[in-house]
Amino acid sequence: MPDNNLLTLACSTHDNHKRGGFPIMNTQLTRTEDRSSRSNSPPAEFLLWFKTIPILRLAFSRGAWELAYTPQFKSQSRLPAIVCFPDVDKVYRSAKLWPFFSVRIPSIARPEVQRTVREEHLDYDDVAAMLRRFGRKSVADPFELRPDPDANELVGAN
C-alpha cells in the first residue's frame, strides 16, 4: 500500500489537482514535444530517480523511445506510479519524447542555451543528446534524470 504522506508522482498540475497529489510546477513545454526524434541519433539510456530509488528506465533506439519501470521500483510499496505512466508492468513506446521528459530541455531561444549548444558542439535536433546535456534536473518535478552508466552507448556521458 503506497504511503500517501509521500508525494503522488504526477505529470501535470491538472492531474495533480484532479487526484489530490503533490503540486508540480506547470512549465511551458519546449518545441521538443512536437518533434519526432531522429532515427539516425545514437542510442541512449537514462534512469529517472526519486531520491535513492531508480523509478523508470528511458531508452532511445532506432528512432523510438521506450519507457519501463525498474525492478527496484516494482519491488517497493511506498511510492505510487507516476500518473501519466500508471501501469507499472507496461513497456511504453513512442516516436516522440513524452512531455513529462521534454520539459527538461530548455528552449533554443534562450541565449545561454544557444551558447552552450554552440560551445559544446551539440545538435539541438538530437533530442537524446539535449536530454543528456540539460535534462538532469527540472523545476517541474522532484526527480533526477541520469544517463544510465551501464549503457555502452553512453561512454563518456555525465
Side-chain angles (χ1 to χ4, degrees), residues 48-94:
L48 184 73
W49 292 77
F50 179 72
K51 298 185 180 180
T52 60
I53 300 173
I55 296 175
L56 296 170
R57 177 176 303 280
L58 174 67
F60 176 76
S61 181
R62 289 178 249 137
W65 291 94
E66 188 173 282
L67 173 74
Y69 282 92
T70 65
Q72 297 92 325
F73 180 81
K74 290 179 184 182
S75 69
Q76 60 84 43
S77 59
R78 293 192 63 190
L79 296 173
I82 295 174
V83 173
C84 54
F85 307 111
D87 187 345
V88 298
D89 296 313
K90 180 178 178 177
V91 176
Y92 295 85
R93 292 182 176 88
S94 176

Side-chain angles (χ1 to χ4, degrees), residues 74-140:
K74 290 179 184 182
S75 69
Q76 60 84 43
S77 59
R78 293 192 63 190
L79 296 173
I82 295 174
V83 173
C84 54
F85 307 111
D87 187 345
V88 298
D89 296 313
K90 180 178 178 177
V91 176
Y92 295 85
R93 292 182 176 88
S94 176
K96 297 178 181 179
L97 182 62
W98 293 273
F100 181 83
F101 296 99
S102 67
V103 298
R104 295 172 170 274
I105 302 172
S107 170
I108 193 65
R110 293 173 50 183
E112 68 274 16
V113 173
Q114 292 174 13
R115 185 174 46 256
T116 299
V117 167
R118 184 178 56 253
E119 289 174 357
E120 296 181 16
H121 307 287
L122 300 172
D123 179 356
Y124 190 76
D125 290 325
D126 184 339
V127 178
M130 292 297 98
L131 195 59
R132 187 179 305 119
R133 174 58 181 87
F134 295 106
R136 190 172 193 106
K137 295 195 180 209
S138 171
V139 297

Side-chain angles (χ1 to χ4, degrees), residues 23-27 103-104 137-143:
I24 293 177
M25 183 179 293
N26 187 10
T27 60
V103 298
R104 295 172 170 274
K137 295 195 180 209
S138 171
V139 297
D141 61 56
F143 309 107

